Amino acid sequence: MALILKAVENIPLIQKGDDLAELICKNAGDILDNDILVIASTIVSKAAGLTFLEEDIIPGAEAKRIAAINGKDPRFVQAVLDESVDVLTEAPFMLVRNKSGHICINAGIDSSNVGGGRLLKLPDRPDLSAAEIGQAVEKKTGKKISVIITDTNGRAFKNGQTNVAIGLYNIKPIRRWVGEEDLYGKVLEISEEAVVDEIAGAANLIMGEGGDGYPAVIVRGLDFYTNEDVSITDLYRDEEKDLIIRGLLELKR
């Protein structure tokens, strides 16, 4: 098995309304069956016009209360609340569950690589965004491909950030080894591999984080294509089974 990571070069600065599928196909070279297209959520959100100015936000009482605790601008706090369904921590940072079910700092709102003093939201429906891009690429190339939309996340218990999947098309988020045998014939009972996060992390080695980064990467050599319905939500643990979420919510009471 050989794994190939190939940056899609010459992607311009993305503006609202840009056709990402067209730009990727134009600059990617050959796209093959079973290729996995990994795309940074930043350019997906930019193309969808999901930027805003903090000064346009009017904070409410709850935003002002939280801002007094964590020292953030109340307008920024309100923007985070507007994109959240649950607030797990309020200080020293806001850890929230955003509208798509992704748990992250500040609902994924970011100012990096945006410009103009603007802030950027995560895609509203990342699975749908992945499907739209993937279907457009398939139509243009005639190839069967998968798409992973990613975001950079911190991790509990460890320093440093890594890329994780937040939206999917034509790839199952988890590879289940349950029922398979290990080297010694023992039947595996609980092993589940978060393959889309592993692929996202590998692609980020090529993507980078600074101004010289590549927002789209082709991953080749894996056989994970599926035409079944998939959803990133299959990766999210049920709240009643997640001891960390339950503990954080209990601390807020």
Side-chain angles (χ1 to χ4, degrees), residues 38-40 150 163 200 202-210 212-217:
V38 183
I39 309 173
T150 69
N163 235 16
N204 199 50
L205 294 171
I206 303 297
M207 284 180 166
E209 294 291 337
D212 58 348
Y214 301 98
V217 171

Side-chain angles (χ1 to χ4, degrees), residues 76-173:
F76 180 80
V77 173
Q78 184 63 57
V80 174
L81 292 176
D82 289 343
E83 295 298 311
S84 305
V85 294
D86 289 309
V87 178
L88 304 180
T89 66
E90 297 174 347
F93 50 78
M94 295 181 71
L95 179 66
V96 306
R97 192 197 316 268
N98 73 4
K99 292 178 180 178
S100 68
H102 178 49
I103 293 179
C104 53
I105 302 297
N106 296 333
I109 294 174
D110 195 11
S111 60
S112 300
N113 298 314
V114 183
R118 305 187 72 84
L119 297 171
L120 188 69
K121 305 175 185 178
L122 289 177
D124 293 325
R125 300 173 65 186
D127 280 342
L128 178 60
S129 296
E132 290 175 344
I133 296 169
Q135 289 165 7
V137 171
E138 288 176 327
K139 185 176 181 179
K140 293 175 184 296
T141 63
K143 303 300 182 181
K144 301 182 299 182
I145 63 128
S146 305
V147 176
I148 300 174
I149 295 176
T150 69
D151 188 37
T152 304
N153 267 38
R155 302 163 297 160
F157 312 119
K158 289 185 177 181
N159 293 319
Q161 293 79 40
T162 187
N163 235 16
V164 298
I166 65 167
L168 307 175
Y169 172 68
N170 283 354
I171 182 170
K172 293 182 180 180

Side-chain angles (χ1 to χ4, degrees), residues 220-240:
R220 184 171 295 161
L222 298 172
D223 186 17
F224 287 144
Y225 174 85
T226 180
N227 58 8
E228 298 178 27
D229 290 336
V230 295
S231 174
I232 191 64
T233 58
D234 291 340
L235 204 59
Y236 301 148
R237 185 179 292 123
D238 292 337
E239 185 175 313
E240 60 269 19

